[in-house]
Amino acid sequence: MFDPSTATLIRSAPPLDDLDRDNLPDQLSETYSKIVTTRLRLRSGEGVDTDELETMIADTRRLAFTNEAFVSASPDRDDRAAAAFVAATAHQLVFNAQRILTPDTPFSSLDARGVSPDISAMLLFLVAEASADAGEMAQWVSPEQEADNPVENALILALRNLSFGRLRAITRSDLPPKSAVRRPNPADAASSALYFTLLVTTHPFWSLSVFRC
């Protein structure tokens, strides 16, 4: 699954208790193989052990969140790119496994509870400077257009365009009104305000017009 240089990058991820970094590329490859095998069995009408799949998702999610924490908490660390790539790969595996448990492709989401694994993987691949992987992941990123969250939807599309390198699409898109951050739930309003701020920073003209208001 990984070429020699990528495997070396993965092995240089931050050390963790009970994590065999030397065998981490093989471990991630094995998880990927199990997901593919499970999907093929379902397509052929065979039964699968969903409990095993859920356990694999939980273990892989822990690996993703732990390395993601290294990336966000220590931006100057030497192994940040390795941590980002491992976290991105783990989030990607979680996303693929969840698609087996829920056959309908889930919508991408940003809310007070967190970020969906497809968006996390896409952004972390960008941090790891793995632009091709980020672009591949971006193909799955799709906001729920019917949902009443225009700020989050606009940010998801902006990040997706960023991963594709479509900078003009970002600068030409419309900015939702500031009133769109208002929500009945204070936590939702706070997270929406944060996402609105992030959205504004993706466009210099938005930044000038909004923060002068």
Side-chain angles (χ1 to χ4, degrees):
M1 179 177 175
F2 302 108
D3 57 49
S5 61
T6 304
T8 299
L9 176 66
I10 292 173
R11 294 189 185 98
S12 63
L16 298 170
D17 293 340
D18 301 324
L19 178 65
D20 184 356
R21 290 188 298 169
D22 289 339
N23 291 321
L24 185 56
D26 294 334
Q27 176 186 332
L28 294 172
S29 297
E30 182 180 357
T31 300
Y32 174 78
S33 297
K34 287 180 178 179
I35 292 172
V36 172
T37 301
T38 301
R39 183 179 294 116
L40 291 175
R41 287 177 177 174
L42 281 174
R43 289 178 178 175
S44 63
E46 298 181 36
V48 297
D49 186 352
T50 57
D51 290 339
E52 180 182 359
L53 186 60
E54 289 176 350
T55 299
M56 184 172 61
I57 290 175
D59 292 341
T60 308
R61 183 181 283 118
R62 281 195 294 271
L63 178 65
F65 286 157
T66 302
N67 279 277
E68 184 177 339
F70 284 121
V71 174
S72 59
S74 304
D76 297 324
R77 62 184 304 131
D78 294 336
D79 53 9
R80 188 170 186 254
F85 190 88
V86 170
T89 302
H91 276 303
Q92 184 180 37
L93 291 172
V94 168
F95 174 74
N96 289 335
Q98 286 180 334
R99 288 174 55 219
I100 295 176
L101 295 177
T102 55
D104 293 334
T105 302
F107 288 107
S108 308
S109 64
L110 295 169
D111 54 36
R113 294 169 296 178
V115 181
S116 57
D118 54 331
I119 297 177
S120 295
M122 178 182 68
L123 295 179
L124 286 161
F125 275 133
L126 287 178
V127 173
E129 298 183 2
S131 56
D133 293 297
E136 180 181 350
M137 198 67 230
Q139 297 179 36
W140 295 100
V141 174
S142 176
E144 186 176 2
Q145 298 295 341
E146 300 301 323
D148 187 21
N149 50 0
V151 172
E152 288 79 356
N153 282 353
L155 180 56
I156 289 172
L157 291 176
L159 295 175
R160 186 173 186 265
N161 284 324
L162 177 64
S163 296
F164 281 136
R166 300 170 181 168
L167 302 184
R168 288 187 178 180
I170 297 175
T171 58
R172 291 176 178 176
S173 58
D174 295 327
L175 179 68
K178 288 189 289 185
S179 59
V181 305
R182 296 172 183 168
R183 304 292 170 79
N185 186 305
D188 292 335
S191 66
S192 188
L194 171 62
Y195 292 136
F196 183 82
T197 303
L198 293 174
L199 178 60
V200 168
T201 60
T202 65
H203 193 319
F205 299 107
W206 286 349
S207 301
L208 290 174
S209 61
V210 169
F211 291 115
R212 285 177 178 175
C213 294

PDB file of all heavy atoms in Angstrom, residues 107-127:
ATOM      1  N   PHE A 107     -22.813  12.533   4.661  1.00  0.00           N
ATOM      2  CA  PHE A 107     -22.441  13.891   4.291  1.00  0.00           C
ATOM      3  C   PHE A 107     -21.282  14.359   5.166  1.00  0.00           C
ATOM      4  O   PHE A 107     -21.141  13.965   6.321  1.00  0.00           O
ATOM      5  CB  PHE A 107     -23.623  14.839   4.463  1.00  0.00           C
ATOM      6  CG  PHE A 107     -24.706  14.653   3.443  1.00  0.00           C
ATOM      7  CD1 PHE A 107     -25.906  14.059   3.788  1.00  0.00           C
ATOM      8  CD2 PHE A 107     -24.524  15.077   2.136  1.00  0.00           C
ATOM      9  CE1 PHE A 107     -26.910  13.887   2.843  1.00  0.00           C
ATOM     10  CE2 PHE A 107     -25.509  14.916   1.182  1.00  0.00           C
ATOM     11  CZ  PHE A 107     -26.711  14.313   1.535  1.00  0.00           C
ATOM     12  N   SER A 108     -20.455  15.209   4.601  1.00  0.00           N
ATOM     13  CA  SER A 108     -19.375  15.817   5.366  1.00  0.00           C
ATOM     14  C   SER A 108     -19.983  16.791   6.366  1.00  0.00           C
ATOM     15  O   SER A 108     -21.014  17.412   6.098  1.00  0.00           O
ATOM     16  CB  SER A 108     -18.410  16.550   4.438  1.00  0.00           C
ATOM     17  OG  SER A 108     -17.987  15.691   3.402  1.00  0.00           O
ATOM     18  N   SER A 109     -19.331  16.935   7.525  1.00  0.00           N
ATOM     19  CA  SER A 109     -19.927  17.791   8.540  1.00  0.00           C
ATOM     20  C   SER A 109     -18.869  18.532   9.346  1.00  0.00           C
ATOM     21  O   SER A 109     -17.771  18.038   9.594  1.00  0.00           O
ATOM     22  CB  SER A 109     -20.805  16.973   9.491  1.00  0.00           C
ATOM     23  OG  SER A 109     -20.028  16.029  10.214  1.00  0.00           O
ATOM     24  N   LEU A 110     -19.246  19.747   9.734  1.00  0.00           N
ATOM     25  CA  LEU A 110     -18.510  20.570  10.687  1.00  0.00           C
ATOM     26  C   LEU A 110     -19.539  21.059  11.696  1.00  0.00           C
ATOM     27  O   LEU A 110     -20.521  21.690  11.309  1.00  0.00           O
ATOM     28  CB  LEU A 110     -17.869  21.778   9.995  1.00  0.00           C
ATOM     29  CG  LEU A 110     -16.772  21.547   8.962  1.00  0.00           C
ATOM     30  CD1 LEU A 110     -16.489  22.860   8.223  1.00  0.00           C
ATOM     31  CD2 LEU A 110     -15.509  21.062   9.636  1.00  0.00           C
ATOM     32  N   ASP A 111     -19.348  20.764  12.966  1.00  0.00           N
ATOM     33  CA  ASP A 111     -20.285  21.255  13.965  1.00  0.00           C
ATOM     34  C   ASP A 111     -19.588  21.361  15.309  1.00  0.00           C
ATOM     35  O   ASP A 111     -18.364  21.222  15.405  1.00  0.00           O
ATOM     36  CB  ASP A 111     -21.516  20.350  14.057  1.00  0.00           C
ATOM     37  CG  ASP A 111     -21.169  18.884  14.295  1.00  0.00           C
ATOM     38  OD1 ASP A 111     -20.194  18.619  15.031  1.00  0.00           O
ATOM     39  OD2 ASP A 111     -21.876  18.013  13.760  1.00  0.00           O
ATOM     40  N   ALA A 112     -20.367  21.605  16.356  1.00  0.00           N
ATOM     41  CA  ALA A 112     -19.795  21.781  17.692  1.00  0.00           C
ATOM     42  C   ALA A 112     -19.171  20.498  18.214  1.00  0.00           C
ATOM     43  O   ALA A 112     -18.288  20.538  19.080  1.00  0.00           O
ATOM     44  CB  ALA A 112     -20.872  22.273  18.653  1.00  0.00           C
ATOM     45  N   ARG A 113     -19.595  19.363  17.691  1.00  0.00           N
ATOM     46  CA  ARG A 113     -19.067  18.079  18.165  1.00  0.00           C
ATOM     47  C   ARG A 113     -17.740  17.718  17.520  1.00  0.00           C
ATOM     48  O   ARG A 113     -16.984  16.914  18.063  1.00  0.00           O
ATOM     49  CB  ARG A 113     -20.093  16.972  17.896  1.00  0.00           C
ATOM     50  CG  ARG A 113     -21.374  17.102  18.703  1.00  0.00           C
ATOM     51  CD  ARG A 113     -22.425  16.156  18.208  1.00  0.00           C
ATOM     52  NE  ARG A 113     -22.811  16.480  16.831  1.00  0.00           N
ATOM     53  CZ  ARG A 113     -23.699  15.781  16.129  1.00  0.00           C
ATOM     54  NH1 ARG A 113     -24.284  14.727  16.658  1.00  0.00           N
ATOM     55  NH2 ARG A 113     -24.007  16.141  14.888  1.00  0.00           N
ATOM     56  N   GLY A 114     -17.457  18.281  16.363  1.00  0.00           N
ATOM     57  CA  GLY A 114     -16.198  17.964  15.715  1.00  0.00           C
ATOM     58  C   GLY A 114     -16.283  18.010  14.208  1.00  0.00           C
ATOM     59  O   GLY A 114     -17.190  18.625  13.631  1.00  0.00           O
ATOM     60  N   VAL A 115     -15.345  17.326  13.576  1.00  0.00           N
ATOM     61  CA  VAL A 115     -15.196  17.337  12.121  1.00  0.00           C
ATOM     62  C   VAL A 115     -15.288  15.907  11.619  1.00  0.00           C
ATOM     63  O   VAL A 115     -14.723  14.985  12.224  1.00  0.00           O
ATOM     64  CB  VAL A 115     -13.835  17.951  11.731  1.00  0.00           C
ATOM     65  CG1 VAL A 115     -13.673  17.985  10.228  1.00  0.00           C
ATOM     66  CG2 VAL A 115     -13.688  19.348  12.320  1.00  0.00           C
ATOM     67  N   SER A 116     -16.001  15.698  10.541  1.00  0.00           N
ATOM     68  CA  SER A 116     -16.134  14.345   9.996  1.00  0.00           C
ATOM     69  C   SER A 116     -14.784  13.843   9.487  1.00  0.00           C
ATOM     70  O   SER A 116     -13.915  14.636   9.097  1.00  0.00           O
ATOM     71  CB  SER A 116     -17.175  14.311   8.879  1.00  0.00           C
ATOM     72  OG  SER A 116     -16.853  15.220   7.851  1.00  0.00           O
ATOM     73  N   PRO A 117     -14.560  12.527   9.483  1.00  0.00           N
ATOM     74  CA  PRO A 117     -13.238  11.982   9.147  1.00  0.00           C
ATOM     75  C   PRO A 117     -12.757  12.289   7.740  1.00  0.00           C
ATOM     76  O   PRO A 117     -11.550  12.382   7.508  1.00  0.00           O
ATOM     77  CB  PRO A 117     -13.409  10.472   9.365  1.00  0.00           C
ATOM     78  CG  PRO A 117     -14.877  10.229   9.300  1.00  0.00           C
ATOM     79  CD  PRO A 117     -15.518  11.465   9.847  1.00  0.00           C
ATOM     80  N   ASP A 118     -13.672  12.470   6.791  1.00  0.00           N
ATOM     81  CA  ASP A 118     -13.234  12.776   5.429  1.00  0.00           C
ATOM     82  C   ASP A 118     -12.581  14.152   5.356  1.00  0.00           C
ATOM     83  O   ASP A 118     -11.541  14.331   4.706  1.00  0.00           O
ATOM     84  CB  ASP A 118     -14.405  12.671   4.446  1.00  0.00           C
ATOM     85  CG  ASP A 118     -15.597  13.519   4.872  1.00  0.00           C
ATOM     86  OD1 ASP A 118     -15.774  13.738   6.081  1.00  0.00           O
ATOM     87  OD2 ASP A 118     -16.378  13.942   3.997  1.00  0.00           O
ATOM     88  N   ILE A 119     -13.164  15.132   6.050  1.00  0.00           N
ATOM     89  CA  ILE A 119     -12.573  16.471   6.066  1.00  0.00           C
ATOM     90  C   ILE A 119     -11.261  16.463   6.830  1.00  0.00           C
ATOM     91  O   ILE A 119     -10.272  17.081   6.406  1.00  0.00           O
ATOM     92  CB  ILE A 119     -13.555  17.485   6.688  1.00  0.00           C
ATOM     93  CG1 ILE A 119     -14.814  17.602   5.843  1.00  0.00           C
ATOM     94  CG2 ILE A 119     -12.897  18.854   6.840  1.00  0.00           C
ATOM     95  CD1 ILE A 119     -15.866  18.531   6.415  1.00  0.00           C
ATOM     96  N   SER A 120     -11.234  15.760   7.963  1.00  0.00           N
ATOM     97  CA  SER A 120      -9.997  15.676   8.748  1.00  0.00           C
ATOM     98  C   SER A 120      -8.874  15.078   7.919  1.00  0.00           C
ATOM     99  O   SER A 120      -7.747  15.592   7.908  1.00  0.00           O
ATOM    100  CB  SER A 120     -10.229  14.832  10.005  1.00  0.00           C
ATOM    101  OG  SER A 120     -11.143  15.455  10.884  1.00  0.00           O
ATOM    102  N   ALA A 121      -9.164  13.988   7.222  1.00  0.00           N
ATOM    103  CA  ALA A 121      -8.146  13.341   6.394  1.00  0.00           C
ATOM    104  C   ALA A 121      -7.649  14.281   5.308  1.00  0.00           C
ATOM    105  O   ALA A 121      -6.438  14.402   5.075  1.00  0.00           O
ATOM    106  CB  ALA A 121      -8.715  12.066   5.776  1.00  0.00           C
ATOM    107  N   MET A 122      -8.570  14.958   4.646  1.00  0.00           N
ATOM    108  CA  MET A 122      -8.212  15.874   3.560  1.00  0.00           C
ATOM    109  C   MET A 122      -7.264  16.966   4.057  1.00  0.00           C
ATOM    110  O   MET A 122      -6.222  17.239   3.441  1.00  0.00           O
ATOM    111  CB  MET A 122      -9.480  16.495   2.982  1.00  0.00           C
ATOM    112  CG  MET A 122      -9.265  17.494   1.872  1.00  0.00           C
ATOM    113  SD  MET A 122     -10.829  18.209   1.294  1.00  0.00           S
ATOM    114  CE  MET A 122     -11.307  19.190   2.739  1.00  0.00           C
ATOM    115  N   LEU A 123      -7.593  17.596   5.187  1.00  0.00           N
ATOM    116  CA  LEU A 123      -6.781  18.691   5.705  1.00  0.00           C
ATOM    117  C   LEU A 123      -5.431  18.201   6.218  1.00  0.00           C
ATOM    118  O   LEU A 123      -4.404  18.857   6.020  1.00  0.00           O
ATOM    119  CB  LEU A 123      -7.537  19.411   6.818  1.00  0.00           C
ATOM    120  CG  LEU A 123      -8.817  20.130   6.405  1.00  0.00           C
ATOM    121  CD1 LEU A 123      -9.491  20.777   7.614  1.00  0.00           C
ATOM    122  CD2 LEU A 123      -8.519  21.180   5.344  1.00  0.00           C
ATOM    123  N   LEU A 124      -5.420  17.050   6.869  1.00  0.00           N
ATOM    124  CA  LEU A 124      -4.165  16.528   7.409  1.00  0.00           C
ATOM    125  C   LEU A 124      -3.228  16.080   6.294  1.00  0.00           C
ATOM    126  O   LEU A 124      -2.004  16.199   6.426  1.00  0.00           O
ATOM    127  CB  LEU A 124      -4.454  15.388   8.389  1.00  0.00           C
ATOM    128  CG  LEU A 124      -5.019  15.851   9.738  1.00  0.00           C
ATOM    129  CD1 LEU A 124      -5.696  14.698  10.463  1.00  0.00           C
ATOM    130  CD2 LEU A 124      -3.910  16.444  10.602  1.00  0.00           C
ATOM    131  N   PHE A 125      -3.769  15.586   5.204  1.00  0.00           N
ATOM    132  CA  PHE A 125      -2.913  15.267   4.056  1.00  0.00           C
ATOM    133  C   PHE A 125      -2.269  16.545   3.515  1.00  0.00           C
ATOM    134  O   PHE A 125      -1.106  16.531   3.092  1.00  0.00           O
ATOM    135  CB  PHE A 125      -3.728  14.587   2.948  1.00  0.00           C
ATOM    136  CG  PHE A 125      -3.889  13.104   3.114  1.00  0.00           C
ATOM    137  CD1 PHE A 125      -5.130  12.499   2.969  1.00  0.00           C
ATOM    138  CD2 PHE A 125      -2.793  12.304   3.415  1.00  0.00           C
ATOM    139  CE1 PHE A 125      -5.284  11.122   3.116  1.00  0.00           C
ATOM    140  CE2 PHE A 125      -2.933  10.917   3.569  1.00  0.00           C
ATOM    141  CZ  PHE A 125      -4.186  10.332   3.422  1.00  0.00           C
ATOM    142  N   LEU A 126      -3.010  17.650   3.540  1.00  0.00           N
ATOM    143  CA  LEU A 126      -2.429  18.923   3.119  1.00  0.00           C
ATOM    144  C   LEU A 126      -1.302  19.339   4.050  1.00  0.00           C
ATOM    145  O   LEU A 126      -0.255  19.822   3.607  1.00  0.00           O
ATOM    146  CB  LEU A 126      -3.505  20.011   3.085  1.00  0.00           C
ATOM    147  CG  LEU A 126      -4.517  19.955   1.944  1.00  0.00           C
ATOM    148  CD1 LEU A 126      -5.541  21.069   2.096  1.00  0.00           C
ATOM    149  CD2 LEU A 126      -3.825  20.061   0.593  1.00  0.00           C
ATOM    150  N   VAL A 127      -1.501  19.164   5.349  1.00  0.00           N
ATOM    151  CA  VAL A 127      -0.452  19.496   6.315  1.00  0.00           C
ATOM    152  C   VAL A 127       0.791  18.651   6.057  1.00  0.00           C
ATOM    153  O   VAL A 127       1.923  19.133   6.162  1.00  0.00           O
ATOM    154  CB  VAL A 127      -0.948  19.274   7.761  1.00  0.00           C
ATOM    155  CG1 VAL A 127       0.201  19.458   8.763  1.00  0.00           C
ATOM    156  CG2 VAL A 127      -2.076  20.237   8.086  1.00  0.00           C
TER     157      VAL A 127
END
